[in-house]
Amino acid sequence: MTSIPDRTAHDGTHIPAVGLGTWPMDDAQAEEAVGRALGLGYRLVDTAANYRNETGTGRGIARSGVPREEIVVTTKLPGRHHGHAETLASFEESRARLGLSYVDLYLIHWPLPRVDKYVDSWKAMIELRAAGLVRSIGVSNFTAEHVSRLEAETGVLPSVNQIELHPALPQDELRAFHAAKGIVTESWSPLGRGSRLLDDPALGKIAEAHGVTPGQVVLRWHTQLGAVPIPKSADAGRQRENLDVFGFELTPAEMAAVGDRPHRRLGGDPTTHEEF
Ligand SMILES: NC(=O)c1ccc[n+]([C@@H]2O[C@H](COP(=O)([O-])OP(=O)(O)OC[C@H]3O[C@@H](n4cnc5c(N)ncnc54)[C@H](OP(=O)(O)O)[C@@H]3O)[C@@H](O)[C@H]2O)c1
């Protein structure tokens, strides 16, 4: 079993340096994939109310036999439940589906600036943390401006911001902002989901030089940037591979080569994207 290092956020939260993404698995796939991944050594699991697989994720956790306190279980508040009372109710539904007495990391999935209720949700999440139902609170797809508003209006910074991050979207500015504030950056679509990134011959060359796969080169690039990738894989071999990125080091030239490509966003722009 692989043991993986941690990142530490400003509030003392420990986040394993690689996690397992579960979108777009259904409940049955998530149960199988999460159960197996935990057995392989994964200790960070990423789900969301909107993935509709919290039930399967919870079953996978239960069947893994891994002690609950070793696992960082992450779920997310959907857009349709922004608002104070709505957030408290939505969290309770997520917790029940997961079958857990507490959640480790609860994130606001998208800021939805037009709706303008993410600060109300954040205040509810601060209460959930105070009640011991959530160990740590964070956000996803927030810009530096959105994060700064949370801090200005509540005095509480997120421990994590989970953002789209891959070699075609390296997010230098936002990562620097996070680093200055002690916020852990998590990378979604870390392998550039479906973009053919991994077929790039330049990545193939680097992989060959280290005796690893292109996927491992990209995940290693994330970890050397200080970010936490959460690759999704339902395949046992690729799950194992994605965890095994701590036995080699990319040179500065290789780091630059991985990130040297035209910028491309795969998902929504956080300032306008609406997802309920
Ligand atoms: N916060 C947000 O708004 C947000 C948005 C999108 C995603 N996410 C989270 O981020 C996670 C990961 O993002 P993603 O699923 O979009 O993209 P990804 O992890 O970059 O790519 C997943 C795809 O890559 C394949 N794959 C995995 N490991 C591989 C390897 N070593 N070599 C070759 N192919 C490999 C997977 O197939 P197999 O399963 O067949 O291995 C799957 O098709 C999601 O599952 C979700 O938890 C969050």
Side-chain angles (χ1 to χ4, degrees), residues 60 165 195 232:
L165 203 171
S195 63
K232 172 265 173 187

Side-chain angles (χ1 to χ4, degrees), residues 47-59 61 73-78 80-81 86-103 105-107 109 128 133-134:
T47 182
N50 270 350
Y51 299 170
R52 297 171 181 274
N53 64 15
E54 289 173 306
T55 302
T57 297
R59 287 187 184 139
I61 291 165
V73 182
T74 311
T75 193
K76 312 187 192 84
L77 174 75
R80 64 185 175 283
H81 294 154
E86 295 87 341
T87 298
L88 297 177
S90 189
F91 171 77
E92 205 40 48
E93 288 169 14
S94 283
R95 190 171 73 88
R97 282 189 293 266
L98 284 161
L100 299 174
S101 59
Y102 67 90
V103 166
L105 186 57
Y106 195 40
L107 310 181
H109 205 148
L128 289 168
L133 293 165
V134 174

Side-chain angles (χ1 to χ4, degrees), residues 14-36:
H14 292 284
I15 308 286
V18 174
L20 179 77
T22 64
W23 180 86
M25 298 176 193
D26 64 18
D27 276 322
Q29 290 166 331
E31 177 176 349
E32 174 76 24
V34 169
R36 187 183 45 232

Side-chain angles (χ1 to χ4, degrees), residues 20-25 45-48 51 53 76 107-110 139-141 162-166 187-194 197-198 213-216 219 229-239 241-242 266-267 273 275:
L20 179 77
T22 64
W23 180 86
M25 298 176 193
V45 175
D46 185 74
T47 182
Y51 299 170
N53 64 15
K76 312 187 192 84
L107 310 181
I108 302 179
H109 205 148
W110 286 90
V139 295
S140 179
N141 300 302
Q162 183 185 114
I163 56 174
E164 180 180 345
L165 203 171
H166 43 71
S187 314
W188 63 255
S189 292
L191 298 169
R193 178 224 311 165
L197 166 74
L198 301 182
T213 67
Q216 287 173 307
L219 296 173
I230 48 166
K232 172 265 173 187
S233 184
D235 174 83
R238 285 189 288 279
Q239 282 188 352
E241 184 181 315
N242 293 347
L266 302 172
H273 182 74
E275 183 176 301

